[in-house]
């Protein structure tokens, strides 16, 4: 087995009956290219195996699109400056919770609460959360969300509000 990391490689030998033994290691000689290209350069390692050298150009488009939250909807992650975090995941497509979204809330004092959410006909979103690993209903939370630009405002059933900004 060979492990190539940068210009250093390690070879191990395992004859099936004992502990692998590290082989020798050496550095590949540097090479200079006369003209830069956008393609990775392929050279040979000291063992004769081809290796690809990375370029400075990204190979994939960034996954986070600039511009903030989607124009509509509540799916995603929202967070306050105090670290309160609401994550609204995928909509269940079958089972008892079909049509509801998977939700969780993390906040100092509340701990981790998990639950469900659902779009409402007036454009708001309703969440119902319970403490993770507990059946104590008094520690549960329910609330209504509305979009305010790239933020959501939660009006809690037991009083109070939280405004959370889009983070992804």
């Amino acid at each position: 087995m060979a492990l190539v990391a940068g210009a250093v490689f390690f070879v191990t030998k395992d004859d099936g009956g004992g502990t692998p033994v590290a082989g020798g290691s050496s550095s590949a000689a540097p090479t200079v290219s006369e003209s830069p290209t956008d393609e990775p350069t392929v050279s040979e390692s000291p063992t004769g195996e081809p290796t690809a050298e990375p370029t400075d150009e990204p190979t994939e488009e960034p996954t986070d699109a600039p511009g903030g939250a989607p124009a509509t909807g509540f799916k995603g992650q929202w967070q306050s400056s105090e670290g309160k975090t609401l994550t609204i995941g995928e909509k269940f497509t079958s089972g008892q919770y079909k049509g509801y979204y998977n939700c969780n809330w993390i906040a100092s004092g509340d701990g981790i609460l998990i639950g469900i959410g659902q779009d409402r006909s007036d454009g708001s979103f309703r969440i119902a959360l319970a403490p993770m690993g507990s059946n104590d209903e008094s520690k549960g939370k329910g609330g209504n969300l509305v979009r305010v630009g790239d933020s959501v405002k939660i009006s809690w059933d037991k009083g109070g509000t939280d405004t959370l900004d889009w983070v992804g």
Side-chain angles (χ1 to χ4, degrees):
M1 169 167 81
L3 172 63
V4 179
V8 179
F9 72 97
F10 297 95
V11 177
T12 61
K13 181 176 100 178
D14 185 5
D15 60 3
T19 306
V21 179
S25 66
S26 62
S27 297
T31 59
V32 177
S33 174
E34 292 297 321
S35 61
T37 67
D38 289 340
E39 298 296 319
T41 305
V42 177
S43 61
E44 286 188 8
S45 71
T47 62
E49 297 177 22
T51 60
E53 296 175 15
T55 66
D56 290 335
E57 298 297 319
T59 56
E60 296 180 13
E61 292 296 317
T63 55
D64 294 330
T72 61
F74 295 88
K75 184 177 164 191
Q77 191 168 62
W78 312 85
Q79 189 171 54
S80 73
S81 59
E82 298 88 28
K84 296 175 182 179
T85 305
L86 174 67
T87 304
I88 301 173
E90 297 293 325
K91 186 185 276 189
F92 291 100
T93 58
S94 63
Q96 178 182 359
Y97 299 108
K98 183 178 180 177
Y100 292 91
Y101 290 83
N102 181 26
C103 299
N104 67 57
W105 171 257
I106 302 172
S108 178
D110 291 334
I112 300 172
L113 290 91
I114 57 175
I116 57 174
Q118 183 178 35
D119 291 308
R120 299 182 82 179
S121 61
D122 64 359
S124 67
F125 192 82
R126 175 79 182 153
I127 57 174
L129 305 163
M132 193 166 133
S134 172
N135 292 328
D136 186 352
E137 291 182 20
S138 69
K139 294 184 180 183
K141 292 181 85 119
N144 293 311
L145 284 69
V146 293
R147 288 286 302 267
V148 181
D150 283 353
S151 300
V152 293
K153 182 177 180 181
I154 307 171
S155 297
W156 296 107
D157 294 348
K158 294 179 182 176
T161 62
D162 282 299
T163 300
L164 310 174
D165 297 322
W166 169 260
V167 293

